[in-house]
Amino acid sequence: MNTSILETIRPAGMTRRQFIKSIIAAGVVSSSALLYSNPVGAAPKTSHGAVERLITLNVNGQQRRVDVLPQETLAQTLRNKLGLMGLKIACDRGECGACTILVDNVPHYSCSILTHSVRGKNVLTIEGLARPDNTLHPLQQGVFDEQGFQCGYCAPGFLMSTLGYLKTNPNPNRQELAHGVSGNLCRCQDYDKILTALMRGAEYMRKG
Ligand code: FES
Ligand code: FES
């Protein structure tokens, strides 16, 4: 594994395994600005005359009330207003998959859908995978056991895409799963190891 990027962003006092586990569990990357720009890290842009409207979203099984602008993307709302920082905004134009979440069990690029459009639907982010007692989801556990990611920035997106794909094909071969997550990109580019980790996670899911 290329440790240079990981070692650059790993917080002092946290072991490498602890750091990787935190990424897999909640998508936390402490210094993501080292890897990607985040053009929407600040508050959403406002257009002249646009006003926020209070809506209710179902996110990770909870009803969340939030003020939303008409042009606000789901990625902006989840990260900036609901504090769900696991999804990442990298390209912000539907090309990389770092922002992938599930809407009614289907993977979506959250940077490319408007928050208003998911009212009445079930939104699932990486934070919603682990159990209340912090036991990792089987897919997360498989990825953790295989240590498939390098810096981990893309991991939440890959995990959510995989989870969505496995709902349609629970027992994929390697080629099928590769196709299933082909909408996700990794800058560290060790796709072979990522795929091995995701296949292990799929295996754990089948075993329950
Ligand atoms: S940030 Fe949404 S697809 Fe890249
Ligand atoms: S592991 Fe670094 S971007 Fe994918």
Side-chain angles (χ1 to χ4, degrees):
M1 177 179 289
N2 177 356
T3 59
S4 58
I5 296 174
L6 180 66
E7 294 308 315
T8 302
I9 62 178
R10 177 160 58 92
M14 183 181 281
T15 67
R16 183 177 173 284
R17 284 181 73 82
Q18 287 170 332
F19 184 49
I20 288 289
K21 192 168 187 176
S22 73
I23 293 169
I24 294 169
V28 177
V29 173
S30 60
S31 299
S32 55
L34 289 168
L35 305 173
Y36 291 92
S37 63
N38 185 357
V40 287
K45 298 180 192 123
T46 57
S47 61
H48 189 67
V51 292
E52 291 183 328
R53 184 174 165 197
L54 183 62
I55 65 172
T56 301
L57 300 176
N58 186 330
V59 182
N60 298 333
Q62 295 183 327
Q63 299 292 311
R64 304 290 301 267
R65 302 271 283 168
V66 60
D67 289 309
V68 175
L69 289 164
Q71 75 277 25
E72 193 169 314
T73 68
L74 185 56
Q76 291 172 324
T77 304
L78 293 172
R79 281 184 60 90
N80 302 335
K81 294 184 175 173
L82 298 183
L84 297 169
M85 309 296 279
L87 69 92
K88 301 295 180 284
I89 301 176
C91 69
D92 200 23
R93 57 185 182 187
E95 292 181 352
C96 72
C99 64
T100 303
I101 49 85
L102 300 189
V103 178
D104 286 347
N105 289 328
V106 177
H108 285 268
Y109 294 152
S110 60
C111 72
S112 301
I113 55 176
L114 295 176
T115 303
H116 285 282
S117 71
V118 302
R119 279 185 295 175
K121 299 181 179 178
N122 295 310
V123 176
L124 184 67
T125 72
I126 189 79
E127 290 88 350
L129 294 197
R131 304 205 170 95
D133 64 355
N134 285 329
T135 304
L136 292 179
H137 184 282
L139 185 57
Q140 293 173 308
Q141 188 63 54
V143 168
F144 177 65
D145 289 350
E146 289 290 340
Q147 298 279 291
F149 292 88
Q150 292 187 25
C151 76
Y153 193 89
C154 65
F158 268 98
L159 280 159
M160 299 311 291
S161 291
T162 301
L163 188 61
Y165 179 73
L166 292 175
K167 290 180 184 297
T168 64
N169 181 8
N171 190 14
N173 61 35
R174 199 175 171 87
Q175 190 174 11
E176 288 170 336
L177 186 54
H179 183 71
V181 298
S182 59
N184 291 73
L185 304 179
C186 171
R187 279 197 173 183
C188 300
Q189 296 196 343
D190 196 349
Y191 290 105
D192 198 50
K193 285 199 72 172
I194 290 174
L195 204 50
T196 297
L198 297 177
M199 287 294 286
R200 175 62 65 92
E203 176 192 332
Y204 286 175
M205 281 184 67
R206 289 192 296 277
K207 290 178 179 172

PDB file of all heavy atoms in Angstrom, residues 60 162 164:
ATOM      1  N   ASN A  60     -31.071   8.457   6.711  1.00  0.00           N
ATOM      2  CA  ASN A  60     -30.590   7.401   7.607  1.00  0.00           C
ATOM      3  C   ASN A  60     -31.649   7.008   8.641  1.00  0.00           C
ATOM      4  O   ASN A  60     -31.354   6.814   9.829  1.00  0.00           O
ATOM      5  CB  ASN A  60     -29.283   7.834   8.291  1.00  0.00           C
ATOM      6  CG  ASN A  60     -28.188   8.061   7.281  1.00  0.00           C
ATOM      7  OD1 ASN A  60     -28.184   7.467   6.196  1.00  0.00           O
ATOM      8  ND2 ASN A  60     -27.250   8.941   7.612  1.00  0.00           N
ATOM      9  N   THR A 162     -21.495   0.211  -4.165  1.00  0.00           N
ATOM     10  CA  THR A 162     -21.496  -1.251  -4.044  1.00  0.00           C
ATOM     11  C   THR A 162     -22.765  -1.734  -3.362  1.00  0.00           C
ATOM     12  O   THR A 162     -23.400  -2.705  -3.810  1.00  0.00           O
ATOM     13  CB  THR A 162     -20.264  -1.712  -3.242  1.00  0.00           C
ATOM     14  OG1 THR A 162     -19.093  -1.276  -3.914  1.00  0.00           O
ATOM     15  CG2 THR A 162     -20.235  -3.224  -3.103  1.00  0.00           C
ATOM     16  N   GLY A 164     -25.649  -0.339  -3.256  1.00  0.00           N
ATOM     17  CA  GLY A 164     -26.767  -0.218  -4.189  1.00  0.00           C
ATOM     18  C   GLY A 164     -26.732  -1.304  -5.248  1.00  0.00           C
ATOM     19  O   GLY A 164     -27.764  -1.902  -5.575  1.00  0.00           O
TER      20      GLY A 164
END
